[in-house]
Amino acid sequence: MSRDKVISADKLVHMKREFGFPDDILCSLVPKYPEYFRLVGCPGEEKSFLELVSWNEEFAKSVIELRAEEESELMGIRVRPSFNWKLPPGFFIKKEMREW
């Protein structure tokens, strides 16, 4: 999302699988949530954009981050969120990236 709260709809459609969006994201999800999203421009001409109409602060944190905050409140110390991930065989991540 850009500083202007818009993203190219065409680019989003090309990246839909990487983000886990359905094939018909612009036809199903956008009309379903008009309070959050709006299509702007001419679809199909690479001049259409998805605009964020309003921001819900609750959506800004992942479930993992919310759980870490809950643990922090219970334990009285700040707990760092832990993200579990599995890499394909033969795929390695540098130590700096793992720590990040």
Side-chain angles (χ1 to χ4, degrees):
M1 191 65 60
S2 74
R3 182 175 11 158
D4 300 327
K5 298 181 181 175
V6 296
I7 188 170
S8 168
D10 300 313
K11 303 289 185 210
L12 185 63
V13 168
H14 289 294
M15 298 294 295
K16 66 184 174 235
R17 295 206 190 273
E18 285 80 358
F19 290 116
F21 295 139
D23 289 335
D24 61 347
I25 181 175
L26 299 178
C27 298
S28 64
L29 289 179
V30 175
K32 188 175 180 180
Y33 300 102
E35 66 274 15
Y36 298 115
F37 303 108
R38 173 177 48 205
L39 277 175
V40 180
C42 305
E45 298 178 13
E46 295 190 12
K47 295 180 182 177
S48 60
F49 299 91
L50 181 66
E51 180 181 10
L52 182 64
V53 176
S54 68
W55 177 254
N56 186 335
E57 199 61 41
E58 292 177 23
F59 298 156
K61 293 183 181 177
S62 69
V63 172
I64 294 171
E65 291 172 304
L66 292 173
R67 286 183 186 155
E69 285 181 1
E70 288 173 10
E71 275 187 52
S72 295
E73 289 176 14
L74 290 173
M75 297 174 64
I77 58 171
R78 187 169 192 263
V79 177
R80 195 167 141 190
S82 175
F83 294 88
N84 296 325
W85 45 324
K86 294 180 182 178
L87 300 174
F91 191 88
F92 300 101
I93 298 279
K94 291 182 180 178
K95 182 180 177 183
E96 301 85 34
M97 291 300 292
R98 283 194 310 261
E99 289 175 356
W100 178 77

